[in-house]
Amino acid sequence: MAPTGCERLTEFDDATWFIVNDGVMGGRSRSQGVTGDGALTWTGTIVTAGGGFSSIRGPVDGEFAGATSLTLRVRTDGRPYELLVDDAVDGRGRVTHYASIQVTGGAWQEVSVPLVDMEARVFGNLVDAEPFVPDLATQVGVILADGIDGDFSFEIDWVDACP
């Protein structure tokens, strides 16, 4: 059940989320996303030589309208993951907005991530851009780019858009 006033975006009953690893720039990190029992399990290995990131993303089509935050129920290994969101602002090239997901590893936890004051980046580099516009959201995801080689594990039970 979604927290009061929030709309459940996904319970991962389908496989619409996709992987973007550093192979797009010659890196060797790898990962996979598997859905089951209504949750998404994203696991892999970060290789910092030549890249050093992995992400999993899903499409958004109007579900963020009026939202000021996303609430996620996640279980992690304690590494510093970030939420990423894209929007389709006319006249602006692709900009991805990032916010830290503040959780500890181990147990299932609910975390609220504000959609205001997110960092705007293009290919990981900070840029000066208009703030994220939730009503024009096109994509949501999670990225790991902490500069540390090794395995990772991140599970998402659900995502809610909250006013």
Side-chain angles (χ1 to χ4, degrees):
M1 178 122 152
T4 304
C6 298
E7 180 180 338
R8 181 76 21 105
L9 299 179
T10 184
E11 291 181 330
F12 300 104
D13 294 328
D14 56 34
T16 59
W17 284 48
F18 57 95
I19 301 291
V20 177
N21 289 330
D22 56 14
V24 298
M25 57 186 269
R28 296 179 296 142
S29 298
R30 64 186 191 286
S31 67
Q32 66 177 0
V34 177
T35 57
D37 297 326
L40 172 67
T41 301
W42 172 49
T43 58
T45 304
I46 298 294
V47 178
T48 57
F53 79 87
S54 180
S55 67
I56 191 161
R57 306 162 190 226
V60 176
D61 186 20
E63 296 92 342
F64 285 16
T68 62
S69 68
L70 296 183
T71 299
L72 302 85
R73 183 172 187 259
V74 300
R75 180 168 49 192
T76 79
D77 53 17
R79 291 179 76 163
Y81 296 89
E82 292 179 292
L83 178 77
L84 59 84
V85 290
D86 288 347
D87 57 12
V89 174
D90 287 338
R92 180 181 78 199
R94 182 171 175 258
V95 174
T96 302
H97 302 266
Y98 295 77
S100 178
I101 298 173
Q102 299 291 324
V103 294
T104 57
W108 284 105
Q109 300 168 65
E110 289 183 25
V111 60
S112 180
V113 180
L115 296 175
V116 296
D117 300 327
M118 299 181 81
E119 283 188 354
R121 300 182 202 159
V122 174
F123 299 114
N125 297 309
L126 287 173
V127 295
D128 185 22
E130 296 175 36
F132 174 66
V133 181
D135 292 8
L136 302 177
T138 60
Q139 183 172 263
V140 62
V142 178
I143 188 166
L144 178 61
D146 62 357
I148 299 171
D149 290 314
D151 296 339
F152 68 88
S153 178
F154 188 97
E155 297 172 83
I156 310 172
D157 188 22
W158 45 257
V159 178
D160 291 345
C162 302

